[in-house]
Amino acid sequence: MRISAAQRAENENRIRAAMDRLLRGEIPPGGKCDVKTLAREADVDRTAFYGTRPYSHLRLEFERRVQALQDAGEIPDRREAQIIRLKAENSRLKERLDQSEQRNDELSDFRTQAPAQHEEITRLRETAAGTSGIRRLPTPRTTVIGSCS
């Protein structure tokens, strides 16, 4: 069914108004910042946005504007922004977990080496104490007599 020029202009105005609302972040419940929601909000058949259909230029304009907002760091879709934020937080938490596991491995290695080191130190002290040719140095004085200047 053909539409008149006035109806087409009215549809384009509704599409542009819906486009502006979506790009401002006024996304209806259950919708996204996409062509499907744009068509539903403008009350236009979604197939009219594809191929050589009458509103394909508006779909391209909408996608370009969404991409420009995303490039500028703004995400009109709150759900999409939340997904991006949660993915970033998830990767930070995974990194922290990896660091904690690495630190735990290092501490476990130290814990297994500590008894062997303690035994070696004890053995060396006993060997040094048993040798008669070793003389102990006097302990350093702990009191200061006058200034050093």
Side-chain angles (χ1 to χ4, degrees):
M1 170 164 102
R2 294 237 172 227
I3 60 173
S4 68
Q7 288 174 324
R8 184 173 176 171
E10 182 182 325
N11 286 347
E12 284 191 17
N13 289 337
R14 280 199 325 264
I15 292 169
R16 288 186 191 281
M19 190 184 309
D20 290 338
R21 283 194 309 273
L22 291 176
L23 293 173
R24 279 194 311 265
E26 299 174 17
I27 299 172
K32 298 180 183 179
C33 192
D34 61 357
V35 176
K36 181 178 178 180
T37 306
L38 176 64
R40 191 174 68 228
E41 284 294 297
D43 196 27
V44 175
D45 184 27
R46 184 175 54 168
T47 59
F49 288 101
Y50 296 99
T52 59
R53 301 291 178 114
Y55 307 120
S56 62
H57 68 285
L58 292 174
R59 175 185 56 87
L60 294 174
E61 178 184 339
F62 178 68
E63 290 172 348
R64 184 177 35 79
R65 289 176 64 186
V66 167
Q67 187 63 44
L69 282 175
Q70 289 175 345
D71 291 345
E74 297 179 33
I75 302 172
D77 191 347
R78 289 184 301 270
R79 286 179 29 205
E80 187 69 28
Q82 183 180 25
I83 290 169
I84 291 170
R85 182 184 56 78
L86 290 174
K87 283 182 178 180
E89 184 178 348
N90 190 28
S91 66
R92 282 194 311 272
L93 290 174
K94 283 182 179 180
E95 186 177 312
R96 283 183 55 196
L97 180 62
D98 290 343
Q99 290 173 352
S100 295
E101 288 175 349
Q102 182 180 2
R103 180 71 176 144
N104 285 343
D105 291 343
E106 291 170 3
L107 291 174
S108 295
D109 290 345
F110 176 75
R111 192 173 185 178
T112 57
Q113 293 173 358
Q117 290 174 348
H118 178 70
E119 288 176 20
E120 180 68 13
I121 291 170
T122 305
R123 186 186 65 75
L124 289 173
R125 283 184 181 158
E126 288 172 358
T127 304
T131 307
S132 61
I134 297 178
R135 215 189 258 183
R136 294 238 177 237
L137 295 175
T139 58
R141 289 189 235 167
T142 56
T143 58
V144 178
I145 306 172
S147 66
C148 295
S149 55

